[in-house]
Amino acid sequence: MIKYILGLIIIGGIGVSLWIYDLYDQIKDDINAIVNYSPKQSTQFYDKYGKLLANTFKDENRDYVKYDEIPARIVESLVAIEDTQFFEHSGINPDAISRAIIKDIQSGGFVEGASTLTQQLIKMLVLTREKKLTRKVKEALLSIRLETVLTKEEILERYLNHVYFGHGYYGIKTAAKGYFNKDLYELTLKEIAILVGLPRAPSFYDPTKNLKISLARANQVITRLDTLGWINKEQYENSIKETPIIYNQTLTKNAAPYAIDFAISQLIDTIPDIQSGGYKVYLTIDSEAQEFARDALKKSYDEAIKRDMDFRKSSKNAHDDSYVKELNGAMISLESSTGKILAFVGGIDYNQSVFNRAFQAKRQAGSSIKPFLYQTALNEGYNPASQLVDISRTYNYTVGGVEKKWQPKNYGEEGLEGIVTLRDSLTFSRNLSTLNLVSDLGVDTMNDALKTYGFKDSVDNLSITLGTLSVSPIEHSEAYTVFSNNGVQVKPYIVEQVVNKNGESVSFEPRTKAINSPEQTYLITSILMDVVSRGTGKSAKVDGIEVAGKTGTTNNNVDAWFCGYTPSIQNVIWFGNDNNVPMRKTETGGKIAAPVFAYYMKKYLEIHPEIPRTFTRPANVHSTIVNGKEELYTDKSPLPEIDTQIKPMTSSGEEGLEF
């Protein structure tokens, strides 16, 4: 009988051993997911001064922290409440298992667990949470194996970074920042106790919802530390009494959402996991400038809405608010010499619309295209004093076999001047004299030049004169750097450096293309300064600094632009209705866009008074008096042969001898 029983025991033992071996054989490779732990991590975006702008993540908001950066008190508190013998056992705790088995037998079911921190990690990363014997055995087997592969510190590092702390926070570092707005080393003992007490039931112990329950759980942790003798009496008493300040935040707040979206769009093709790979992305953005740009755009928007409301009050369309829903804008500010983007706003309100008009919308350029046409004319030998014909012409063309006529006019039904200088033609954005200039030079010549400046949608007819080609604000910003950067076009960029979770980094540098000489470019800048001082862009004036720029208003006021620059900063502003319906006749580039430039630059100067205030005239740009006014000329753009008194200017700007 005894032999029979022993035989059964042996057979049973062999059977159990085979069963356990089979189980282990099924799961032995699962341990690789823990050994080669690579969780989803939040990516942090910083401005040019290292200020955090945003966290981005997919599914899990996690800011990874190395074990060496985790305060010892956090480890002690976690071990004290969850697994006191963690540093002694080999993956499982036989004493705890024995106690749990007895209680489970007494109750007739699984009522008490005996999981070590190692087992909990395996449960989170590899196995399910179902209460079955098979799963428990697998868990124990993998725990024993894991302890032979990883150190205790490596196991704790994985645990504290992977575990869910509630409120959308994954990992101890994220939870500390979320609940207490602190880094780990700043936490008090009570705050640590709250955190290590959360993983058992994150929703139940969430301090933003159940503070009293959370504090009671934290006090259990503190009491356990006291019982073990790991804290002194004073620490115990002070911590028990403490009630920390709890923050109810998601950590998904984004101080520059349009800028972040653009940065991601620039990186996503080469770094597909940029939003969840634990990168640190350093942008060229100046967070204060970003705020100024957003405020400037919103202020001008609000004023346009008020003008619209005043109009509707005196009309039959008092209840038509479609204009309010569709009107929007965008602004890009950058350093002219480098192309580094300082501010990037793609709309009035990101919460209302995530569509990023700064780079996703292509709109007609209107008269903001004219400086490129006039620069081409100067390069072909024209001078700012050259005389243009400001008269109307009738153009005949055929569409579908039907002959049609086009008789363009100056904006706002302005009268004809007959003869106007090239400088005044651009200063006051006169359409007819510009059309005649383009006709004289040839559409092909102008088209070739526009392509050189990067415009891709140009058409082979005179409509290019009126800016019918489409361009996005970011594309227009790049094109305009040829003026703001003294003839050298620079590509705008927003990402300065990307650092991966291993500390490896890649940096980005300016990309430039020389197109015009500094002296030829200065001729245009001098005219664009007149646009601001006495022409269509007067609303962009800023006291104490020279400003050059050009307004742009398309047919029927569908689009309104102001593209301007100071000696070091360039700003491009656009306004229009998202559905391409015309704005009010009052909303021109000078009325709605130019004031944005002025507001922004005034604010920018307050925090950056050191920036250059005057444009530097190249040595090869000469000046004279033409008809009582100072005019500039270069070897490539000589003075025109006109019957007038011309006096050379000395270097000080005073009149010299006649000739």
Side-chain angles (χ1 to χ4, degrees):
M1 183 66 177
I2 295 175
K3 290 182 179 180
Y4 177 73
I5 293 173
L6 287 173
L8 288 176
I9 292 173
I10 292 171
I11 293 172
I14 293 172
V16 170
S17 298
L18 290 173
W19 176 67
I20 291 174
Y21 179 81
D22 183 59
L23 280 181
Y24 179 72
D25 190 57
Q26 295 175 29
I27 62 174
K28 62 182 180 180
D29 293 333
D30 291 346
I31 201 172
N32 294 330
I34 305 175
V35 174
N36 304 314
Y37 181 58
S38 182
K40 291 181 179 179
Q41 297 182 40
S42 302
T43 289
Q44 283 81 44
F45 288 82
Y46 300 90
D47 80 348
K48 64 183 295 185
Y49 300 112
K51 180 180 178 181
L52 182 66
L53 289 174
N55 287 302
T56 64
F57 58 91
K58 285 187 176 180
D59 303 324
E60 298 177 0
N61 185 1
R62 178 182 290 106
D63 191 359
Y64 198 91
V65 58
K66 295 288 187 181
Y67 182 83
D68 291 342
E69 299 170 3
I70 300 173
R73 185 64 78 189
I74 291 178
V75 174
E76 291 172 356
S77 300
L78 175 66
V79 170
I81 197 65
E82 289 290 341
D83 187 1
T84 308
Q85 295 180 303
F86 174 75
F87 286 99
E88 285 76 46
H89 64 61
S90 58
I92 60 174
N93 187 335
D95 292 339
I97 292 173
S98 299
R99 290 193 300 271
I101 290 174
I102 292 172
K103 289 189 177 181
D104 290 343
I105 292 173
Q106 290 174 344
S107 64
F110 291 104
V111 296
E112 181 170 320
S115 296
T116 63
L117 287 170
T118 309
Q119 288 174 278
Q120 290 181 40
L121 179 62
I122 287 169
K123 190 188 304 180
M124 289 188 292
L125 283 170
V126 178
L127 303 175
T128 65
R129 291 182 175 272
E130 60 180 349
K131 292 186 176 182
K132 290 184 178 180
L133 179 61
T134 301
R135 199 269 295 164
K136 284 286 187 181
V137 174
K138 289 180 180 179
E139 183 183 290
L141 291 172
L142 287 176
S143 296
I144 295 170
R145 174 58 180 156
L146 185 63
E147 293 261 359
T148 67
V149 179
L150 297 179
T151 65
K152 293 287 187 178
E153 291 76 15
E154 289 171 331
I155 292 171
L156 282 174
E157 180 180 315
R158 285 159 173 75
Y159 179 92
L160 285 169
N161 278 290
H162 191 81
V163 72
Y164 181 56
F165 286 86
H167 217 68
Y169 308 143
Y170 288 83
I172 189 79
K173 186 175 182 180
T174 312
K177 184 63 70 175
Y179 287 123
F180 306 114
N181 207 26
K182 291 182 178 181
D183 288 320
L184 293 178
Y185 68 88
E186 299 175 302
L187 295 173
T188 67
L189 178 57
K190 188 60 164 282
E191 290 166 342
I192 290 172
I194 289 175
L195 292 179
V196 300
L198 280 167
R200 177 167 292 186
S203 296
F204 184 67
Y205 293 125
D206 186 341
T208 65
K209 300 174 183 177
N210 306 306
L211 181 57
K212 288 184 178 180
I213 296 173
S214 180
L215 291 174
R217 171 66 171 161
N219 287 341
Q220 290 178 351
V221 176
I222 294 167
T223 300
R224 179 62 176 162
L225 286 167
D226 180 55
T227 300
L228 293 171
W230 293 359
I231 58 175
N232 59 40
K233 205 66 176 177
E234 183 182 357
Q235 291 172 318
Y236 169 77
E237 292 176 353
N238 290 339
S239 297
I240 289 292
K241 295 175 185 177
E242 182 187 349
T243 301
I245 297 174
I246 306 296
Y247 293 84
N248 189 354
Q249 55 187 345
T250 63
L251 295 184
T252 58
K253 293 179 180 178
N254 190 328
Y258 288 113
I260 300 301
D261 284 355
F262 179 61
I264 291 172
S265 76
Q266 301 299 291
L267 296 171
I268 195 72
D269 289 339
T270 53
I271 311 176
D273 66 336
I274 186 62
Q275 292 176 269
S276 59
Y279 298 92
K280 294 189 183 300
V281 183
Y282 297 90
L283 303 182
T284 59
I285 290 291
D286 180 330
S287 56
E288 288 186 285
Q290 179 74 14
E291 184 178 349
F292 298 155
R294 185 174 60 245
D295 292 346
L297 208 64
K298 181 64 163 60
K299 184 175 185 294
S300 194
Y301 167 85
D302 288 341
E303 290 173 353
I305 294 301
K306 184 179 183 301
R307 288 192 290 269
D308 178 64
M309 290 177 64
D310 292 341
F311 169 81
R312 287 191 285 113
K313 285 178 182 178
S314 60
S315 72
K316 297 179 181 179
N317 299 317
H319 301 292
D320 179 15
D321 63 349
S322 59
Y323 188 65
V324 178
K325 295 178 180 178
E326 295 294 336
L327 182 64
N328 228 299
M331 177 177 177
I332 299 171
S333 176
L334 54 80
E335 287 181 356
S336 305
S337 61
T338 64
K340 292 180 180 180
I341 296 173
L342 301 172
F344 191 97
V345 185
I348 302 300
D349 187 346
Y350 190 83
N351 292 323
Q352 296 297 320
S353 172
V354 300
F355 180 61
N356 203 325
R357 297 153 192 84
F359 79 100
Q360 292 177 318
K362 299 195 73 168
R363 307 290 294 230
Q364 287 192 356
S367 293
S368 66
I369 204 71
K370 288 179 181 176
F372 299 94
L373 306 178
Y374 281 73
Q375 180 74 79
T376 303
L378 292 172
N379 292 345
E380 291 291 324
Y382 280 72
N383 179 273
S386 295
Q387 296 180 333
L388 305 182
V389 180
D390 187 48
I391 60 174
S392 179
R393 289 182 182 178
T394 299
Y395 299 90
N396 298 310
Y397 63 100
T398 303
V399 177
V402 179
E403 284 194 9
K404 295 191 175 185
K405 293 183 179 181
W406 179 42
Q407 191 171 32
K409 300 177 181 179
N410 284 324
Y411 182 80
E413 306 296 331
E414 289 183 9
L416 304 179
E417 293 288 336
I419 297 295
V420 62
T421 66
L422 183 146
R423 177 179 291 277
D424 283 349
S425 178
L426 181 55
T427 296
F428 298 102
S429 199
R430 301 191 69 83
N431 291 334
L432 297 179
S433 51
T434 305
L435 277 165
N436 291 322
L437 174 65
V438 172
S439 295
D440 291 344
L441 278 172
V443 171
D444 289 343
T445 298
M446 290 299 187
N447 251 320
D448 290 343
L450 288 176
K451 290 175 183 177
T452 300
Y453 293 120
F455 295 105
K456 302 173 183 177
D457 297 333
S458 185
V459 291
D460 290 324
N461 59 58
L462 281 171
S463 68
I464 61 171
T465 307
L466 305 182
T468 55
L469 60 81
S470 295
V471 62
S472 68
I474 190 66
E475 290 171 336
H476 223 14
S477 294
E478 180 174 353
Y480 258 84
T481 59
V482 76
F483 304 132
S484 64
N485 193 32
N486 305 311
V488 178
Q489 199 171 73
V490 58
K491 191 172 185 63
Y493 70 103
I494 196 168
V495 180
E496 186 96 69
Q497 185 182 44
V498 179
V499 182
N500 68 15
K501 56 191 175 184
N502 297 320
E504 300 165 331
S505 66
V506 58
S507 298
F508 298 85
E509 301 291 339
R511 294 160 58 187
T512 60
K513 179 174 69 172
I515 297 179
N516 294 320
S517 66
E519 53 267 26
Q520 289 302 109
T521 305
Y522 186 80
L523 294 180
I524 278 291
T525 292
S526 73
I527 300 174
L528 295 183
M529 287 170 65
D530 281 354
V531 171
V532 174
S533 64
R534 62 187 180 91
T536 60
K538 286 186 286 187
S539 296
K541 281 184 182 179
V542 181
D543 291 339
I545 192 168
E546 292 184 338
V547 176
K550 182 67 185 76
T551 56
T553 308
T554 60
N555 194 33
N556 295 322
N557 299 69
V558 173
D559 300 283
W561 297 84
F562 184 76
C563 307
Y565 53 98
T566 70
S568 62
I569 305 296
Q570 174 188 296
N571 305 316
V572 168
I573 300 107
W574 166 87
F575 273 96
N577 287 322
D578 282 339
N579 59 1
N580 281 292
V581 169
M583 296 181 288
R584 302 291 177 213
K585 283 292 184 182
T586 55
E587 309 311 332
T588 64
K591 185 71 172 180
I592 191 173
V596 175
F597 183 100
Y599 180 96
Y600 173 84
M601 284 308 305
K602 287 174 185 175
K603 291 289 185 181
Y604 191 85
L605 280 172
E606 290 176 5
I607 62 171
H608 292 290
E610 77 283 357
I611 65 173
R613 302 299 183 99
T614 58
F615 291 102
T616 301
R617 191 170 86 182
N620 292 331
V621 176
H622 312 289
S623 60
T624 66
I625 294 295
V626 178
N627 288 334
K629 297 179 182 179
E630 180 185 6
E631 193 49 271
L632 307 176
Y633 65 96
T634 65
D635 292 343
K636 201 170 187 178
S637 296
L639 291 166
E641 295 181 2
I642 54 178
D643 185 15
T644 183
Q645 186 184 49
I646 301 177
K647 297 179 181 180
M649 300 288 290
T650 65
S651 58
S652 64
E654 298 176 352
E655 292 186 15
L657 298 175
E658 293 184 19
F659 68 94

